[in-house]
Amino acid sequence: MWNFSVKQAAKLLGVDPQTLFRWIWKGKVRPSIAIPMNGRKLYRFTADDVAQVRRYKLAHYWEGRGGSKPKAGRGKTSRRHHRSRKKELK
């Protein structure tokens, strides 16, 4: 069975490691292994844990970010174009 560090699990999930730590501290997700080390805990995730966190991410990741995922094709370029178009109209 594979074990992943927080950094490795975060990379697999497509989130920042700090986000994964925040979810652990808030009790939103729980790794199978927590090894006490020098007053801290070393967290390790199994493949099942990563799948569980992936389900949590799909259900809750965009909450606090406006409530919905960004629309495709609306990157920085189009926003910049939109701003310049507004200036032209004034």
Side-chain angles (χ1 to χ4, degrees):
M1 181 179 283
W2 290 91
N3 287 324
F4 303 100
S5 67
V6 171
K7 188 174 181 179
Q8 291 168 331
K11 188 173 182 177
L12 289 171
L13 294 163
V15 297
D16 191 85
Q18 199 60 38
T19 300
L20 194 49
F21 274 119
R22 192 176 317 113
W23 290 346
I24 293 168
W25 294 328
K26 288 184 175 184
K28 307 289 185 186
V29 298
R30 182 183 236 171
S32 292
I33 304 164
I35 304 164
M37 186 177 289
N38 296 330
R40 298 179 182 186
K41 288 186 181 174
L42 177 66
Y43 297 107
R44 304 298 283 182
F45 289 85
T46 62
D48 291 337
D49 294 336
V50 172
Q52 184 178 7
V53 175
R54 184 171 280 123
R55 285 191 296 272
Y56 175 81
K57 177 190 171 191
L58 289 173
H60 301 283
Y61 186 66
W62 288 99
E63 283 177 359
R65 297 175 182 264
S68 62
K69 294 180 182 178
K71 293 182 173 98
R74 296 197 38 128
K76 291 181 181 180
T77 316
S78 62
R79 277 188 244 140
R80 226 181 278 130
H81 174 71
H82 180 69
R83 280 191 216 122
S84 64
R85 181 76 177 132
K86 266 184 155 177
K87 288 178 185 176
E88 290 174 11
L89 295 174
K90 287 184 179 181

